[in-house]
Amino acid sequence: MYYLIILVLLFLAELFYFRIADKCNIIDKPNERSSHTRITLRGGGIIFYFGVLAYFLTSHFEYPWFMLALTLITFISFVDDIRSTSQVLRLVFHFSAMALMFYQWGLFSLPWWTLFVALIVCTGIINAYNFMDGINGITGGYSLVVLVALAYINEAVVPFVEQGFILTVLCSVVVFNFFNFRKRAKCFAGDVGSVCIAFVLLFFIGKLVIRTEDFSWIILLAVYGVDSVLTIIHRLMLHENIGLPHRKHLYQIMANELKIPHVIVSLAYMTIQTFIIVGYIYYQQYGYIFLIGCILLLSAIYVLFMKKYFSRHIS
């Protein structure tokens, strides 16, 4: 009954946001870099923040430093969705949020270089998740797979966080998918959505890694990770400015050049990540070997795909 009530409240909150976004003209207009062709409401992913807030308010204010961190990073991302902000200002908010999350994790007792490495890795993950948000269903669908896996791991493998936290966030993702995981999306996640859910998933996976002292759990983000890293390498090989928008991710080639429906592409990413997670849990005793094997396999698929289809891409 609790989760049913949460679902209904989040659904109503999303509808309320749509009215505000429509009135305030918070929209996404298609351009030459877009993978969509219709004007669509932006920022629907703010529902992820409301999901975390719902848990925070009903759990006697658990994880207060993480909640403050998420508020900071959600705020600056939402502002950036409305009007462009300076990169320096975004970095200040992002690094402040990271510091608060590290404090919640209890990392400040570790050597300084550990914090530096964690900062680089976490920043990379958040940016990769944000860059991968380009077609209907991919952010919500991929996040759904990872959250379901985290809920299972937390329940059946090793407890690392309160199960209600994961399930409440899962409710917010289900609500978002109702409006986004379709041929004609009612809304897009926006930076506020992709950055927010990336930060939440990062918190969960970080807690899991710390609890098990096993970094191979990063395999939960293997598909996104390989696509993001290899796309950056590819763009560097093409002597491009990797800070500029582009349409060179594998999923973008599939959706734009091969004209594969967005929902099908998103389902493909979800399915591959699901198989990887199931295999990893089954062969968990070979964690790092399985992780390396998956990275090599995904990398080979990426390279072969680009060799065959990248020539169709028009910059």
Side-chain angles (χ1 to χ4, degrees), residues 126-134 228 232 242 246 249 251-252:
I126 290 175
N127 279 287
Y129 223 90
N130 191 22
F131 293 155
M132 291 294 291
D133 180 37
S228 298
I232 290 173
I242 60 174
H246 65 96
H249 280 291
Y251 77 87
Q252 291 172 319

Side-chain angles (χ1 to χ4, degrees), residues 23-41:
K23 184 173 294 186
C24 297
N25 204 35
I26 306 175
I27 58 175
D28 199 310
K29 294 182 179 180
N31 55 48
E32 68 276 5
R33 300 293 182 182
S34 302
S35 297
H36 59 282
T37 57
R38 299 170 65 246
I39 294 177
T40 308
L41 295 177

Side-chain angles (χ1 to χ4, degrees), residues 61-273:
F61 310 109
E62 195 164 22
Y63 304 121
W65 298 111
F66 169 72
M67 190 67 223
L68 178 57
L70 185 66
T71 300
L72 287 176
I73 207 167
T74 299
F75 170 75
I76 193 62
S77 299
F78 186 64
V79 171
D80 197 44
D81 276 332
I82 298 174
R83 60 182 183 184
S84 183
T85 57
S86 71
Q87 187 174 3
V88 173
L89 182 62
R90 290 198 304 273
L91 284 175
V92 169
F93 272 81
H94 279 228
F95 287 168
S96 298
M98 296 276 193
L100 289 167
M101 183 166 67
F102 290 173
Y103 184 75
Q104 188 73 75
W105 279 342
L107 295 187
F108 280 97
S109 59
L110 299 176
W112 68 267
W113 61 266
T114 305
L115 296 176
F116 180 75
V117 172
L119 181 64
I120 298 299
V121 172
C122 291
T123 301
I125 290 174
I126 290 175
N127 279 287
Y129 223 90
N130 191 22
F131 293 155
M132 291 294 291
D133 180 37
I135 61 173
N136 299 351
I138 195 163
T139 293
Y142 193 85
S143 300
L144 185 70
V145 168
V146 177
L147 282 167
V148 169
L150 286 167
Y152 173 80
I153 294 164
N154 192 54
E155 185 71 24
V157 182
V158 55
F160 58 91
V161 76
E162 287 67 27
Q163 187 74 338
F165 193 177
I166 300 176
L167 296 179
T168 305
V169 176
L170 194 55
C171 288
S172 69
V173 173
V174 169
V175 170
F176 175 73
N177 280 332
F178 179 80
F179 295 105
N180 178 261
F181 205 121
R182 53 173 77 179
K183 182 178 180 180
R184 292 187 175 181
K186 173 69 175 177
C187 69
F188 295 145
D191 284 353
V192 65
S194 56
V195 171
C196 178
I197 195 62
F199 199 73
V200 174
L201 294 178
L202 188 58
F203 178 72
F204 288 149
I205 295 173
K207 291 277 288 182
L208 177 58
V209 169
I210 293 168
R211 172 70 174 80
T212 60
E213 297 183 350
D214 185 353
F215 189 73
S216 66
W217 286 109
I218 199 69
I219 199 170
L220 291 166
L221 302 175
V223 176
Y224 262 24
V226 170
D227 191 323
S228 298
V229 171
L230 292 186
T231 298
I232 290 173
I233 294 173
H234 188 195
R235 295 189 68 202
L236 288 173
M237 291 171 63
L238 295 172
H239 305 290
E240 293 185 359
N241 182 347
I242 60 174
L244 296 177
H246 65 96
R247 299 205 313 180
K248 291 183 173 65
H249 280 291
L250 188 148
Y251 77 87
Q252 291 172 319
I253 302 294
M254 293 173 70
N256 300 323
E257 275 66 46
L258 301 184
K259 306 302 180 184
I260 301 174
H262 289 199
V263 172
I264 301 300
V265 176
S266 298
L267 282 171
Y269 272 66
M270 292 169 63
T271 302
I272 294 171
Q273 184 63 65

